[in-house]
Structure formats: structure tokens, C-alpha cells
Amino acid sequence: MYFIFEIAFDSNKQYIAELIRAYATQKEMKVEVLQTTNKIILTFNKDDEQLESFLLSLDEILPASLFLGKGKHFFSDENPSVESIEKTNLPLNIAPCPTCQKEMFDVSSRRYYYPFTSCNHCGTQHPFLTKYPYKRANTTMKFLVPCTDCEDEAKNNSLRKDYPLISCIECGIAIRMLDKENEHLALNKGDFRKLFEVSGRAIASGKTVLMKTAHGYRKFFNPNRNSVSMRTLSFSLTPSEKNLNIKPSRKINTTVESTALSTLLVVSAAGFNEHLMMVEQEFNALLSIERPLLRVATKSDEIQRLYGSSALVKYPDDGMTMLLAREVISAGLSYIAYFECDANEEADFLVDFDMPINPQKDTKLFINQDTKFFVSGERIVYPAQVQSNKNRVSVAHDLACVKVDDKSIIDSLEIFDSVDTQEIYVLESDDFESGHSKEYRFESYKASMMSVLSEHYKVGQKAVGVHFDGTLNFLYYNGKAVINAIPPIPFESDNLWEKISTLRDGSDRLVGNYKKKYPLIWERLDNLGGDMDIFEVTAITLGLEDESFEGISAEALSFLGKGGLQIDTKVKDNRFDNYAFLTSIMSYQLGDVENNFMCYSIYESFGDYIGEIIPQLLEKVDTKVVVLSGATFANQSLYGRIQRTLGQFSPLMNKNFPIGKENVVHGALYL
């Protein structure tokens, strides 16, 4: 008789299952651990005397995870026969697990306040990788010789057995702190603790700290002591534009100040409840070992004063940031803020280390009730091992899918050495040139749709799709190729007023009225280049501080009413017309419609438009399969509207990959 314990785990990542295996070895517990595409199965002998204590102790060593769901148990006469996913040996880039965190804050540990504490199943491993296969000789840590204790641990500690990056304060990476006059090097436990303590107090007092983390350089500051933080952007401002907070066309570099564009780093769980309005799913996601970025509605007056109705929020995600957070809490703060930047950013203090790293783009998560998906980014998602029977390399957005020892791995392009391949697929807009005799270029929307279809085992089946990533495309997949069934009318942001004034009768009068009421915005729009997308231009039109899709989404979140305005989305042949869309927004602006109501209405109108077109396509091509791809869908208003208009078709979206541009390197394998 067997005792079976199943844990829902909706991912192909294997660090939880591997952690359970290692812990079972450490406890000399006999258990078979299998991982399928949606769960982890633990099989025990039901009469094992250690069974109850082992299951209880799992609570202490298992981290919270985005992918973990509910567990269930039952008895069975037979050992479950299931197909488990193939094991991988890929470096992770997540937060430290509970065991490693305990070491970091245990003064008796030789890793006390050592920010690079990790094990086989957690931590920031990928930033130190230089090439595959993943072993110490192929990481930047190859220059550090493990001490005797670490060598012994790599042989006898099941959690760190043969761990490529094993290190401690004695043999690991040294860090230093510099101010205007002095340099302080951390060499022992006391030094490491003191360095982070000084950093935390400096931030609390209003100083800025530029810190090299495993995710790159971050400039930390106290947003209540530094009411604004400096960012260098490419703008040329006239005196009148400065007074009215209008941003003109991009011409030369100058410094723009805005705390609202920073990431809010909440350093204590209590800070979440005090300052943010979150549902349980958002709270759990932020505190998970994956530590995603999440846009969250604000609650307290002080955070709303700094960030408005919503903020991009983070919980400490690597050793450097976690140790800093501990000292920030000791200094009396529940949150600070940071900008991602480079090593040349000006700051009062610099905390640095000499080890080269290869940082990944952070990953944004979207949550709507029980639905969650990755919006954009690399960390958490990549590297990934995928199935591919083709001798093909795909390249897009500085990512590549390459066969390594007959296994297809998606990772940063620079990680891979030269490889032999039969063919190479490169994103149309990339400037990468392989020189291969069989190099093929592909469009983003085609690969995005194929990525979703492959994740849901629908390759070869007819489907319709919507790709919405700055531009809106309605797609048809006939089982062999993706066809752009209803492409948008091309949009160019230069000569904007000429295109709007000739759109339809009366458009020229709208342009004249707009110029009179909003002369500075009119002038800004009159000098745009032709390479800006519709969301950037819309944000400029509305005078938003964050001139992007993200800025419009944030503004939409602040609208608390129900029902929006109908904004024009098409003019002929059911095709989306960017100029008609902008004209409609400008007309409402002249009618003094509030920005948050306008932004909310934008997404509702897109949702209605998509909900009108898709059923027509489904009927024409005789299929029930609907695919959604593109980062624009990561908006609460739009996603909610899509669920109402298309929910009956159960639209498919990416599960293991971002819905945004980073999925195309995967989808290109199926073109």
C-alpha cells in the first residue's frame, strides 16, 4: 500500500521537486518524486514511521512559489505510473530558499550576511554563467577556489551536492562600499553586516545608494526624503514647457526628475497591507521565491502622493537587496524605491563587487483573479529547455534557442558559442546577421501565435488569433502557416496633423480647435519622429508623465466607475485605424473628459472591437481555437472586457513564456 501526496505545480520548472528530492536524501527518507506538466507526485510507503514528521517538515524548507497550488493525498495499492518531464541542468535566477535565508541571518553561520548564499535549488545563479554546460568552469566563479568547508559541503550536504557556485565569506565574492572620500572593503562577518547597516541608514537619512546586485545596478533611495530621484532621459525642454510639465520631442539629453517612474521596493510584509490594495493572489505572488514585478493599486496617502493610483512593486529578490532590506527595516522604514541604471549613475554611496555578471531583464507578472501570466522579461522564465526535432537556431530580442548536447535551450544570445545548425530564423526587426546560407527572417506576430499554440499542443490545428503588442493584428492559422487576416492600417507618427486633418470631413476643424486649446501638446505632436507606437503618442496627447503603454494602464487603474466611452477603433473593412483612434481621443479631450476615464475607455473599446471581430473570423474558418498574444493584453480593463466578450471560447495564452515579445524565440521553432 502506498501513500500518495500530490502538489499542484503549473510549470515545467523543477527547483521545487529537486529540493524535495535533496531534502529526502538528507533526512534518509524513502520517497519517489515525480514531476508532470501540472503537478509533483510524492510516493511513500504508507507504513514508514517518518512519514508524518517528514511531511510536516516540508513546510519549513519549501518556499512559496508562483506555481504551487493545492495539495491532496490518497492511498493506492499501485505505484502511480505517469510520464515525468525530462530533468534539466539549468542555472536559476530566483530568491534564496528558506534554508539559505536562514544561513544569511544566522550569526553562527559562515554565510552570515553573505549576499551570494544559494544552493542547487535557489538563488541568483544565471548571472554568473558564461557558457554551457552549466558547471563551475563555465561561470565567473571559476576564479574563486572553494575553501575546505565548502569542498566538504559539496560532497556531503545534499542541498549543495556538487553545487557549481558554492562559496562563503571565507572563499567567496568580496564587496566594497565607496563614498566621496573613502573605500571600505568587507572581509569578515562583521564587515559584511556593517556595510549593509551603513547603506540602510544612509537611505533612511535621505542619501542615495548605488548598488550592484545580481540583477544589475540599482539606485536605492528613500522617496519621502528624496521627494524625487534623478533619471537621465532624452528631452529638450523650453521654459514654458517646464512650467507646464509638458515633455517635448526627444532631442538632447537632460535630467528629468520623477519618483513615480521608480520601482517601489516594499521591505516588510506589513508594508504591503498598510500602503497597497492587494488581493491574496497578488500578495502571494510578490512574496514567492520567484519575486516578480507587479503593478498594484496604492492605498495610503503617502504612497498615492508619490506614485498616484498604482505603482510597480517589488519584494527584495536577491541577496544584496534582501540584506539591504533587513537594515532598512531596522532604520524604521517599510519601503524604499529604486531605479535600474548603469555603473556611472551618480549617488552618495556605491556598493560594488568585482565579479562580472550577466543580468537578466526583470519579469512582470499580470494577475486577474485566479489567472496569472508573465507579461515581459527574462528572469524566472529563461533559461528554458524546450522540445524541438528541428536542427534550427532561432534568434530574437537578444535571446536564442540553440541545441546544447542535443537539448534545445533558450537563453541570452551571448551565452552560446558558435554552433552548427541546418538553418537559422531571425526576427525581422533584429540587426543580428548570422552569415548562414539558410537564414530566414520572421514576423513577431507569427512566432507569438505559434508559441501559444505549441504550449497548448494545438500546432497543426486551425485557429484564429489576436496579436496586440503596440499594434493590433487579427490572425488566421490554417494548420501550416500564420496569416495576417486583418492587419492594422499602418501608423507613422511623423506628419501626424496632416494625416488627422484629412481623415474625414470636419477633421481639419478639430485640428484647429485642438491647436488653440492645447498649443504646447500640439507643437510636441507636430515634431514627432516616425518610429513611435500608438500608445506612446496617446500618452503624449493625454499629457501623461509615463509616455508608454504602462503609463496609460496605470492611469486606467485609477478610474473606479463602470462603463466607458466608445472610442473609435475602425473606419473601414474592420481594420484598426490609429488616426481615427487618436482623433476620437482628441475630440473627448476638447470636451474636458478626465484622463483616467479616457484611459479606461480606451481598453474597453479595444475589448469590444476584438469581441466583435473574432466571432466573425471563427465562423468563416470553422474553428473554436482562439489565441491571444502580446503584452497589451496585460491590462485589467482590457482583459476583463475580453473575458466578457470572448470568455465562451476560452482563449489560449502563453503559460510558461511571456505573452510579450520574449515568446517569439520559442514560437520561431514552429514556423
Side-chain angles (χ1 to χ4, degrees):
M1 179 72 71
Y2 297 97
F3 177 84
I4 313 296
F5 185 52
E6 293 184 352
I7 312 171
F9 193 76
D10 197 20
S11 171
N12 54 14
K13 301 299 181 184
Q14 299 175 38
Y15 40 84
I16 299 295
E18 291 293 340
L19 177 58
I20 295 173
R21 289 190 184 101
Y23 184 64
T25 300
Q26 181 176 305
K27 293 296 182 179
E28 298 182 345
M29 182 70 190
K30 292 183 179 179
V31 56
E32 183 177 4
V33 183
L34 297 175
Q35 182 173 345
T36 69
T37 55
N38 60 4
K39 60 187 174 183
I40 298 172
I41 304 171
L42 311 182
T43 304
F44 303 87
N45 185 324
K46 84 172 187 65
D47 296 322
D48 195 315
E49 295 180 355
Q50 299 182 68
L51 177 57
E52 183 176 358
S53 62
F54 179 79
L55 290 175
L56 289 173
S57 63
L58 280 181
D59 280 343
E60 298 180 6
I61 64 107
L62 284 184
S65 172
L66 285 174
F67 310 114
L68 275 174
K70 295 181 179 179
K72 66 176 183 179
H73 66 273
F74 56 90
F75 295 96
S76 174
D77 291 328
E78 297 182 356
N79 195 335
S81 178
V82 296
E83 184 177 351
S84 60
I85 61 176
E86 184 180 1
K87 290 186 178 181
T88 62
N89 180 31
L90 302 176
L92 304 172
N93 199 359
I94 54 179
C97 68
T99 302
C100 287
Q101 287 188 51
K102 186 177 179 181
E103 284 186 84
M104 287 169 61
F105 296 110
D106 180 359
V107 70
S108 66
S109 166
R110 69 180 196 280
R111 296 189 175 92
Y112 180 63
Y113 268 69
Y114 179 61
F116 308 102
T117 301
S118 58
C119 68
N120 277 314
H121 323 290
C122 76
T124 47
Q125 305 173 18
H126 184 273
F128 301 102
L129 181 71
T130 55
K131 64 179 180 179
Y132 284 102
Y134 176 41
K135 56 185 180 180
R136 194 177 185 95
N138 292 337
T139 72
T140 51
M141 280 201 178
K142 66 182 179 182
F143 301 108
L144 302 178
V145 179
C147 63
T148 303
D149 287 334
C150 282
E151 284 185 341
D152 182 66
E153 193 177 5
K155 296 176 183 176
N156 301 309
N157 183 345
S158 59
L159 300 181
R160 292 198 178 95
K161 187 170 180 59
D162 300 322
Y163 179 45
L165 303 184
I166 195 164
S167 64
C168 66
I169 288 178
E170 180 68 27
C171 61
I173 302 172
I175 58 177
R176 65 181 184 274
M177 182 179 221
L178 298 89
D179 57 23
K180 305 293 184 183
E181 300 175 353
N182 302 300
E183 176 177 352
H184 308 278
L185 188 64
L187 299 173
N188 55 48
K189 293 181 184 181
D191 292 340
F192 273 81
R193 172 67 187 270
K194 187 66 176 178
L195 186 149
F196 286 101
E197 182 181 3
V198 171
S199 299
R201 289 181 178 177
I203 293 170
S205 68
K207 302 293 186 180
T208 56
V209 174
L210 177 63
M211 181 174 287
K212 183 178 180 180
T213 74
H215 308 309
Y217 284 92
R218 291 172 172 174
K219 182 177 179 178
F220 295 96
F221 62 99
N222 179 354
N224 288 304
R225 296 296 295 270
N226 301 73
S227 59
V228 290
S229 186
M230 316 296 276
R231 295 198 78 191
T232 300
L233 301 175
S234 297
F235 294 124
S236 177
L237 293 98
T238 66
S240 60
E241 287 170 331
K242 288 181 181 178
N243 292 336
L244 291 175
N245 196 28
I246 299 296
K247 295 179 181 177
S249 56
R250 293 170 168 86
K251 293 178 182 177
I252 60 172
N253 287 336
T254 188
T255 300
V256 176
E257 303 174 344
S258 179
T259 294
L261 298 179
S262 65
T263 299
L264 178 65
L265 184 72
V266 181
V267 296
S268 70
F272 286 116
N273 296 325
E274 181 181 356
H275 300 294
L276 302 169
M277 289 192 296
M278 298 191 304
V279 297
E280 182 182 358
Q281 294 93 327
E282 291 172 327
F283 182 83
N284 292 339
L286 284 166
L287 270 67
S288 70
I289 193 170
E290 290 82 15
R291 300 288 205 273
L293 279 168
L294 201 62
R295 181 160 289 281
V296 177
T298 57
K299 180 170 68 176
S300 68
D301 290 341
E302 60 186 271
I303 294 296
Q304 288 186 347
R305 174 178 57 81
L306 294 166
Y307 287 92
S309 60
S310 69
L312 201 58
V313 179
K314 186 81 170 175
Y315 196 56
D317 57 355
D318 80 317
M320 298 289 287
T321 314
M322 291 176 74
L323 293 169
L324 175 65
R326 169 62 70 90
E327 296 306 322
V328 165
I329 293 172
S330 298
L333 302 182
S334 60
Y335 63 86
I336 54 175
Y338 71 86
F339 287 124
E340 293 183 344
C341 55
D342 60 33
N344 298 318
E345 183 77 10
E346 287 290 328
D348 296 304
F349 294 93
L350 169 65
V351 177
D352 206 352
F353 54 90
D354 288 332
M355 186 68 69
I357 58 168
N358 177 30
Q360 294 180 296
K361 298 185 189 75
D362 214 343
T363 297
K364 294 179 183 176
L365 184 74
F366 176 82
I367 295 179
N368 182 283
Q369 297 180 359
D370 291 330
T371 300
K372 57 179 177 284
F373 50 75
F374 298 117
V375 181
S376 61
E378 301 168 356
R379 195 185 62 80
I380 307 170
V381 179
Y382 299 116
Q385 184 173 311
V386 295
Q387 297 296 323
S388 177
N389 296 323
K390 299 176 181 177
N391 185 11
R392 175 186 296 180
V393 168
S394 61
V395 176
H397 302 299
D398 296 322
L399 292 167
C401 183
V402 175
K403 281 193 178 293
V404 179
D405 297 332
D406 294 324
K407 299 183 187 299
S408 294
I409 296 174
I410 300 176
D411 204 344
S412 302
L413 179 62
E414 63 188 52
I415 292 293
F416 300 105
D417 290 333
S418 59
V419 295
D420 292 326
T421 183
Q422 184 176 345
E423 57 188 8
I424 182 167
Y425 276 58
V426 181
L427 183 65
E428 185 67 46
S429 59
D430 271 19
D431 57 6
F432 177 83
E433 294 183 4
S434 67
H436 198 283
S437 60
K438 291 186 176 181
E439 178 182 303
Y440 304 97
R441 294 279 168 166
F442 66 88
E443 292 92 346
S444 181
Y445 65 85
K446 292 183 179 181
S448 283
M449 186 174 189
M450 294 309 300
S451 177
V452 178
L453 289 170
S454 67
E455 279 207 71
H456 293 274
Y457 307 101
K458 300 291 185 183
V459 174
Q461 300 181 32
K462 289 196 297 184
V464 300
V466 184
H467 181 69
F468 199 1
D469 203 350
T471 58
L472 179 59
N473 298 274
F474 291 92
L475 312 174
Y476 169 52
Y477 174 62
N478 60 14
K480 295 182 180 179
V482 177
I483 301 165
N484 200 350
I486 307 178
I489 295 174
F491 175 68
E492 293 181 351
S493 53
D494 57 347
N495 300 318
L496 189 63
W497 294 120
E498 178 183 341
K499 293 159 185 168
I500 289 178
S501 63
T502 58
L503 184 66
R504 55 169 73 98
D505 289 341
S507 294
D508 56 340
R509 289 194 300 275
L510 179 140
V511 171
N513 292 334
Y514 196 90
K515 182 176 181 180
K516 290 179 183 178
K517 188 167 184 177
Y518 301 104
L520 294 175
I521 295 179
W522 188 94
E523 185 179 354
R524 173 85 193 278
L525 293 174
D526 194 42
N527 291 292
L528 296 178
D531 58 348
M532 302 180 73
D533 68 37
I534 185 63
F535 289 105
E536 289 179 285
V537 176
T538 299
I540 292 170
T541 303
L542 296 175
L544 301 182
E545 185 174 25
D546 186 353
E547 297 175 349
S548 66
F549 162 74
E550 188 78 32
I552 298 174
S553 295
E555 189 71 19
L557 278 176
S558 67
F559 179 69
L560 303 178
K562 292 184 178 179
L565 301 163
Q566 185 60 50
I567 294 177
D568 218 347
T569 50
K570 60 182 184 295
V571 289
K572 59 183 179 180
D573 302 328
N574 283 331
R575 298 175 71 188
F576 174 71
D577 191 303
N578 296 278
Y579 305 110
F581 172 78
L582 277 174
T583 300
S584 185
I585 288 173
M586 290 172 180
S587 297
Y588 284 125
Q589 265 189 296
L590 290 172
D592 295 323
V593 174
E594 293 291 332
N595 271 358
N596 60 354
F597 188 23
M598 190 97 72
C599 291
Y600 176 84
S601 301
I602 286 172
Y603 293 108
E604 279 219 330
S605 298
F606 274 124
D608 289 340
Y609 174 43
I610 292 168
E612 176 187 343
I613 300 298
I614 285 296
Q616 297 177 31
L617 290 176
L618 289 171
E619 186 176 354
K620 286 182 179 180
V621 302
D622 190 27
T623 182
K624 296 294 183 183
V625 181
V626 178
V627 169
L628 305 178
S629 62
T632 309
F633 283 111
N635 172 273
Q636 297 292 348
S637 303
L638 176 59
Y639 186 81
R641 201 69 168 184
I642 290 293
Q643 291 304 302
R644 288 194 291 274
T645 59
L646 296 180
Q648 60 181 314
F649 303 111
S650 300
L652 306 178
M653 302 182 77
N654 279 110
K655 182 176 69 171
N656 293 311
F657 300 101
I659 64 169
K661 63 183 182 180
E662 292 87 358
N663 67 0
V664 300
V665 71
H666 169 241
L669 299 175
Y670 302 91
L671 293 173

